[in-house]
Amino acid sequence: MFQFTTTRRMRTRGLVAVVAAASLVALAGCASDDQPSGDGGEAIEYVVGFPAILSGPAAFAGVPIADGAKLAVKEINESGFLGEGSTIDLKIDDIKGDPAQAIALFNQYAADGASGILCCGLSSEAGALAPVITDQSTPAVVTSAILAGLADPPYIYRSVILPSEPGGMYDQFVDAIVPGEDIETAVVVVTADNDGMVGDAKVWTEALERNGVEILKTIETSAADTNYTQAATEIEALDPDAVIGSTLGTPSALLAKSMRERGYDKPFLTTYGVDSEELFTTSGGGLAGTIFMSPFHAGFNTNEEAVTFVEAYEAEYGEMPDMYGAQGYTAMWLLAEGLKASGDPDPQMVAEALEAITSQDSVYGPLTYSGGQASLDGPGVYLVWQEDGTLEEWNG
């Protein structure tokens, strides 16, 4: 097995020449004689399927994820990144948040000869799809689901940063916020029917307790809940120094709305799922005062990849990208690196090339891959929603 590091600079998006050459030589011995090489040979059209969430409650995330992926494909195709004349044909279909539809589409993409798949906007979708991905032997890159233990080479890869890793972003976030906001008591609210949020709630709780915070109560809610009156009423009665939301984006916005309507005006700490202007509107301004961490934000990132991405996204769509747009963009570029290194549309060849990737320059900064999972060495950026719907950096 060979290993290489993916490196892209400005809009050339090319692998370092020596690394690329070594990768292609290593793969050349595996490719069949009648397959095009992608670089210097016959042009290849790589089919990539994407069962996306373009409608329904999670569309606020699914649409920008798809837009980020489409922007990456445009750059890949126009730059000749995959070799002269070689392109990606990205097929996007709406699953409306239905895992069964995601499975049906994945099977169809695989049957149609897809070289790889983008998938899994939600943990429920990821849990349902994971065994199908392995059975079909068609590699998939997870765009945003945070279900624990999901990455599983050679077929499942995840470019999503997991803040809940030991010593990761949640731990660093809590270590900074608790003393900075003088938090001694807290209530934890968890989306109890989402495995990712349940797992994250344990990380939040352990980090809070390690910092001497008393957990007054853990309140369980459902992803489908639209009325958070009961939870907000309990929070009002307990009057904690902070509320921690291990909750999905829309539930976080609705919870914040209910809490603020009942006069709770202390910090609300939650996931980067609230990094959305649409959700701020949904909250009726209730997200004001909410503090969250994020590996990426268009207005607070200065690395070269991030600056280039923000400029390109704004030119393409007329608005700044959010965290979800960055996720779709990064996932598509990771898959493209595998396509390029394989030089072959055979999904097994692409899977082997993806497994060899150890790092990637990204909009978050340099990513490291271990066991198919991306990690980022750094705390990210800490942001606070303001009353006027803008974000400011939290500095303690």
Side-chain angles (χ1 to χ4, degrees), residues 90 92 170 241 269:
L90 180 62
I92 301 179
Y170 284 154
D241 293 331
L269 316 181

Side-chain angles (χ1 to χ4, degrees), residues 2-6 15 19-20 23 27 337-338 341 353-354 356-359:
F2 61 92
Q3 294 185 333
F4 63 89
T5 298
T6 68
L15 292 172
V19 177
S23 302
L27 281 168
E337 303 284 10
L354 285 168
I357 293 176
T358 57
S359 63

Side-chain angles (χ1 to χ4, degrees), residues 14-100:
L15 292 172
V16 173
V18 173
V19 177
S23 302
L24 293 173
V25 168
L27 281 168
C30 303
S32 60
D33 292 338
D34 58 353
Q35 288 289 346
S37 69
D39 269 326
E42 181 183 346
I44 302 171
E45 183 178 74
Y46 297 93
V47 175
V48 173
F50 187 4
I53 304 173
L54 304 180
S55 61
F60 73 90
V63 170
I65 288 172
D67 285 344
K70 288 188 289 187
L71 175 61
V73 168
K74 179 180 180 181
E75 293 181 353
I76 291 160
N77 289 347
E78 291 181 354
S79 68
F81 177 77
L82 297 174
E84 186 176 356
S86 292
T87 58
I88 292 173
D89 178 13
L90 180 62
K91 298 183 179 298
I92 301 179
D93 294 282
D94 185 11
I95 67 167
K96 302 178 177 67
D98 181 4

Side-chain angles (χ1 to χ4, degrees), residues 93-111:
D93 294 282
D94 185 11
I95 67 167
K96 302 178 177 67
D98 181 4
Q101 182 67 7
I103 291 173
L105 282 169
F106 189 98
N107 286 330
Q108 186 61 58
Y109 295 141

Side-chain angles (χ1 to χ4, degrees), residues 225-350:
D225 288 347
T226 57
N227 188 328
Y228 285 83
T229 300
Q230 181 176 340
T233 300
E234 289 187 72
I235 290 166
E236 181 185 17
L238 291 166
D239 193 27
D241 293 331
V243 173
I244 285 73
S246 187
T247 44
L248 300 170
T250 298
S252 293
L254 296 175
L255 172 63
K257 185 175 190 294
S258 290
M259 288 193 302
R260 302 315 188 194
E261 287 174 347
R262 279 152 189 78
Y264 184 79
D265 60 358
K266 297 177 183 178
F268 178 39
L269 316 181
T270 189
T271 70
Y272 58 64
V274 298
D275 185 10
S276 163
E277 291 183 2
E278 181 178 339
L279 287 184
F280 187 88
T281 301
T282 297
S283 77
L287 281 173
T290 297
I291 311 171
F292 64 96
M293 52 68 51
S294 180
F296 167 86
H297 190 280
F300 301 91
N301 283 268
T302 58
N303 76 73
E304 186 177 303
E305 293 286 331
V307 171
T308 301
F309 165 61
V310 171
E311 291 175 352
Y313 192 99
E314 193 169 17
E316 184 73 12
Y317 300 113
E319 61 184 9
M320 299 278 275
D322 59 15
M323 180 67 195
Y324 301 109
Q327 288 176 338
Y329 184 82
T330 303
M332 187 65 252
W333 267 108
L334 175 62
L335 182 53
E337 303 284 10
L339 298 175
K340 180 178 178 66
S342 70
D344 192 306
D346 181 356
Q348 185 62 47
M349 297 286 289
V350 178

Side-chain angles (χ1 to χ4, degrees), residues 160-177:
V160 183
I161 308 302
L162 298 184
S164 58
E165 290 181 317
M169 292 184 176
Y170 284 154
D171 282 344
Q172 296 178 63
F173 181 62
V174 171
D175 290 348
I177 299 296

